Amino acid sequence: MSVAPHLHLPPTDRVLSPRTGWTRAHWEATADRMLDALVPYATPGFAQYRLPGRGSWSGVVSDGLEGFARSFLLAAFRTAGAGGAVDPALTERYAAGLAAGTDRGGKEAWPALTDCSQQMVEAASIAVALHESRPWIWDRLDAGVQERVVDWFSGFVGGRTWDNNWRLFQVVSEEFLASVGAPHSRRDIESGLDRIEDWYRGGGWYTDGDGRNYDYYNGWALHLYPLLWSRIAKDDGGRTAVHRERLSRFLEDYLHFFGADGAPVHQGRSLAYRFAALAPVWTGVLADCTPLAPGLSRRLASGTLRHFVEHGVPDERGLLPLGWYDTFLPVTQPYSGPASPYWASKAFLGLLLPADHPVWTERELPLPVEESDTRRTLPAPGWLLHGTRHDGIVRLINHGSDHQPPPAEDADPAHGDDDPHYAKLAYSTATAPETAPHAVARAVDNHLALLTPSGAPSRRTRIHPLRCEEGIAASWYAARLPGDDHRYRVETTSVLHGPWEIRVHRIEAPEGASVREGGHAVAHAESPAALTGPGWALARTADGLSSAVIALHGWGDDTEEGTAEVARDVQSNAFGPRSAIPYLRLDRHPGGRSTHVSLVALSRDRIHPGALREVVSVRAGAGSPTVSLAFLDGTTIEV
């Protein structure tokens, strides 16, 4: 796809940036377009930006504050990175907004900071922006306005936040108060920084609060804010060195989350923030702790921003709509308002680096997936990553992140709702899970379900990890069927071999139930093609992305009980209006335990499902606790 012409970007530079063609000038032009596009939606005093789109559960005034705060981050990075050499109207708008928003008697007054209020999130963005743009905005504010800003921020002192990444919003905001000599609570700051220590799981990974909440918040919040805090704090108490070391370790794996086309793996909540996923990449450079070469950091960042620009983000108005590419509300959460996507401003942290920094001046280097097939094992979140050079796709195998609250001792292990952004067995840079409500209810894609006679599926709610080592990960979930009080154990082991994922399922099922397994959902503007054969199903988009699932053992593919089909849907996938999912189904389970083995494929190559059965031979004796997988290259793995 070509870059959207409405952005008026400078010419590409294929000498400095042979992979993307992008330079710092492209970043600045994109930032300027995004900022200019907001002006028509500003309130008269510029304290709020009331953008078009569905409102959040916090109300129109909070949403307007969100528009100010999150875009202020972008304005601050743009201003500071240019040494103040920006259009004076830009800094004037945000200075005016600070004055109007903190005028309690004014028509544009911001809501007060109260316990666990959305304003806390936005205050942190304002605090960071004020610090980074201090010489050009804060220092030039009238003393009375400065006092009102401090008064508004003082609502944080002694306040209560949600016990997750929100603790860090209080940390940076009160540290800003300290930096301007205003009253603050050192206890609030230290307790917030101490609290995230409870969530660190090693390997650069935090869970976002208690439970197994692994997603992009690890990078755009839990690594980001402690190092932004250290840029404000006069005395870090030795914490910065720890956070730098953890971010460095995280980035060793993190660059493998991005496909050759720049797309990040589509997993987790708040995906409308899009290229905010680049925040830890730039933070590693800013904090001088990145293991990535300067040319690799820029290639990764520019590739991702360009990817979204090529897919129409920002749109023809210059705005970031609620969605992934175009507007798509099922990818959002109830807390998402029309300005929520502007947390994407965090992607522009790199503009704080001077133009002569090596990250801007050294030649781009290729991503790992552009040079060879890749595979990474991440035990903390329970993930496997594998990428393929020939098509540039990265796939994430999930056996650890479920976004469920921590279990109580007497909790029902099958209780709760499953979230398609966490519950699936696999995600990728080229596909998205089905997320429209009717599609979530069907739960076909990347899921092994037991089905009632009426077709209601069991849900993968709480994930219980079993193992995660080189190329192999396993977990189980407790399957619950309507009208049946029993909890049936569904255990899955994923084995990676080249571009393929082999899934070995050992399940308990009631007599007469059905078993169904789906592959990746593929989506496109045109309806994907659907092909089926003995024991296999395949869906292929018009641009050549294929998803297939092939029965290897236990699917009754030689009997009438086993079927392979392709499910279709519309307006249920962030990647396109028409989607399709290949799946296997075994009807009339005899009851008790059974073993099922399948091969799951996602590729831009032409897939021949029948031939793929020869990739691996399966030996699973009746009643045996072991399944043996023998691959064509001589590798043998026992599950």
Side-chain angles (χ1 to χ4, degrees):
M1 304 177 68
S2 60
V3 173
H6 61 269
L7 279 179
H8 304 294
L9 295 175
T12 56
D13 184 340
R14 293 292 177 177
V15 175
L16 180 63
S17 303
R19 298 285 170 169
T20 69
W22 276 42
T23 65
R24 182 186 177 96
H26 291 80
W27 283 81
E28 291 174 339
T30 304
D32 290 343
R33 174 58 178 148
M34 289 170 58
L35 289 166
D36 291 344
L38 294 170
V39 176
Y41 304 97
T43 49
F46 294 100
Q48 298 178 33
Y49 290 87
R50 297 187 175 182
L51 303 182
R54 185 207 65 196
S56 77
W57 58 15
S58 298
V60 65
V61 176
S62 176
D63 289 350
L65 165 61
E66 189 171 60
F68 175 91
R70 300 188 181 200
S71 63
F72 187 21
L73 273 179
L74 180 58
F77 299 155
R78 179 71 176 96
T79 300
V86 295
D87 183 346
L90 178 62
T91 54
E92 290 168 3
R93 286 199 300 271
Y94 285 93
L98 288 163
T102 55
D103 181 359
R104 293 193 177 187
K107 295 181 179 179
E108 299 178 37
W110 297 333
L113 291 171
T114 55
D115 286 353
C116 299
S117 62
Q118 182 64 32
Q119 297 87 269
M120 288 183 161
V121 185
E122 311 321 321
S125 290
I126 295 173
V128 170
L130 283 170
H131 173 74
E132 297 296 346
S133 63
R134 191 179 297 248
W136 304 281
I137 296 183
W138 173 260
D139 290 348
R140 299 181 184 183
L141 290 177
D142 177 89
V145 175
Q146 288 183 340
E147 291 176 3
R148 295 207 305 268
V149 171
V150 166
D151 180 61
W152 185 70
F153 271 113
S154 67
F156 255 126
V157 181
R160 180 174 63 87
T161 74
W162 296 118
D163 196 29
N164 54 18
N165 69 87
W166 280 46
R167 297 294 295 267
L168 295 172
F169 304 148
Q170 185 171 36
V171 167
V172 296
S173 297
E174 292 202 45
E175 195 62 57
F176 175 75
L177 286 175
S179 75
V180 298
H184 61 282
S185 169
R186 184 54 53 184
R187 179 179 179 181
D188 286 350
I189 296 170
E190 297 298 327
S191 66
L193 292 168
D194 288 343
R195 182 63 174 125
I196 68 170
E197 296 299 313
D198 298 333
W199 303 326
Y200 187 65
R201 298 292 183 263
W205 283 93
Y206 296 88
T207 176
D208 184 13
D210 293 334
R212 299 190 59 83
N213 307 314
Y214 298 103
D215 53 29
Y216 285 109
Y217 276 87
N218 190 70
W220 65 39
L222 291 157
H223 278 296
L224 174 65
Y225 286 104
L227 288 167
L228 290 178
W229 164 81
S230 71
R231 291 171 63 86
I232 305 173
K234 293 181 179 179
D235 180 5
D236 70 355
R239 293 182 186 269
T240 301
V242 174
H243 292 300
R244 291 175 71 249
E245 181 181 358
R246 290 176 181 174
L247 177 56
S248 178
R249 175 63 188 87
F250 173 65
L251 291 173
E252 290 177 14
D253 292 325
Y254 192 57
L255 81 162
H256 295 276
F257 278 74
F258 298 81
D261 62 354
V265 170
H266 193 93
Q267 180 272 341
R269 65 192 176 97
S270 301
L271 291 174
Y273 303 161
R274 300 176 175 95
F275 34 89
L278 298 171
V281 178
W282 289 122
T283 304
V285 183
L286 281 166
D288 193 25
C289 64
T290 182
L292 312 182
L296 182 54
S297 291
R298 188 177 81 255
R299 188 268 173 272
L300 173 55
S302 292
T304 297
L305 183 57
R306 176 171 177 146
H307 173 79
F308 282 101
V309 167
E310 288 177 339
H311 284 79
V313 183
D315 65 16
E316 68 280 356
R317 302 166 297 176
L319 301 179
L320 304 181
L322 280 166
W324 183 245
Y325 297 135
D326 201 352
T327 300
F328 185 71
L329 295 182
V331 84
T332 67
Q333 285 72 41
Y335 57 73
S336 302
S340 291
Y342 285 81
W343 243 28
S345 298
K346 295 177 179 183
F348 291 82
L349 274 163
L351 292 180
L352 292 175
L353 297 159
D356 60 357
H357 190 283
V359 80
W360 293 117
T361 61
E362 291 194 6
R363 186 177 172 87
E364 278 185 347
L365 298 175
L367 293 174
V369 75
E370 293 179 291
E371 295 191 299
S372 65
D373 291 353
T374 62
R375 191 165 75 183
R376 305 292 286 191
T377 302
L378 288 71
W383 287 345
L384 302 175
L385 286 172
H386 65 129
T388 40
R389 178 179 180 273
H390 65 274
D391 57 15
I393 296 174
V394 173
R395 307 155 193 83
L396 183 153
I397 312 304
N398 175 35
H399 287 278
S401 182
D402 58 21
H403 198 55
Q404 295 289 327
E409 290 185 5
D410 59 347
D412 178 352
H415 179 70
D417 296 326
D418 57 328
D419 185 330
H421 292 108
Y422 296 89
K424 303 301 183 180
L425 285 163
Y427 299 90
S428 85
T429 58
T431 61
E434 300 281 274
T435 47
H438 66 274
V440 173
R442 293 168 63 194
V444 179
D445 57 305
N446 277 315
H447 178 46
L448 189 289
L450 306 183
L451 306 177
T452 64
S454 65
S458 61
R459 317 304 285 264
R460 192 180 188 222
T461 51
R462 189 174 310 285
I463 298 173
H464 302 266
L466 295 172
R467 66 188 292 197
C468 187
E469 54 198 55
E470 186 60 31
I472 303 175
S475 64
W476 68 275
Y477 81 92
R480 180 174 59 180
L481 294 171
D484 187 341
D485 292 333
H486 189 75
R487 303 297 178 259
Y488 300 96
R489 183 181 174 106
V490 174
E491 181 178 322
T492 299
T493 299
S494 295
V495 177
L496 301 185
H497 191 80
W500 321 121
E501 178 195 358
I502 313 300
R503 295 178 186 167
V504 180
H505 308 285
R506 184 169 178 81
I507 68 170
E508 297 173 339
E511 183 179 356
S514 298
V515 182
R516 186 191 64 201
E517 176 175 22
H520 292 267
V522 294
H524 195 268
E526 300 177 27
S527 185
L531 302 171
T532 60
W536 60 265
L538 180 147
R540 179 183 296 125
T541 63
D543 59 359
L545 179 64
S546 296
S547 171
V549 59
I550 297 104
L552 299 179
H553 174 83
W555 286 101
D557 41 285
D558 295 323
T559 71
E560 61 180 10
E561 285 84 7
T563 59
E565 299 180 23
V566 175
R568 294 185 179 276
D569 217 323
V570 294
Q571 300 296 339
S572 64
N573 196 288
F575 276 61
R578 296 174 175 86
S579 55
I581 311 160
Y583 69 91
L584 305 174
R585 175 169 170 150
L586 176 68
D587 291 327
R588 294 188 290 277
H589 193 282
R593 294 182 177 179
S594 61
T595 300
H596 310 265
V597 185
S598 55
L599 185 151
V600 175
L602 177 69
S603 178
R604 296 196 186 278
D605 282 349
R606 183 166 292 276
I607 294 175
H608 301 277
L612 282 181
R613 286 186 166 180
E614 299 175 17
V615 167
V616 56
S617 61
V618 179
R619 187 175 71 252
S624 171
T626 302
V627 172
S628 178
L629 306 176
F631 294 90
L632 282 176
D633 63 3
T635 303
T636 300
I637 296 175
E638 288 195 345
V639 175

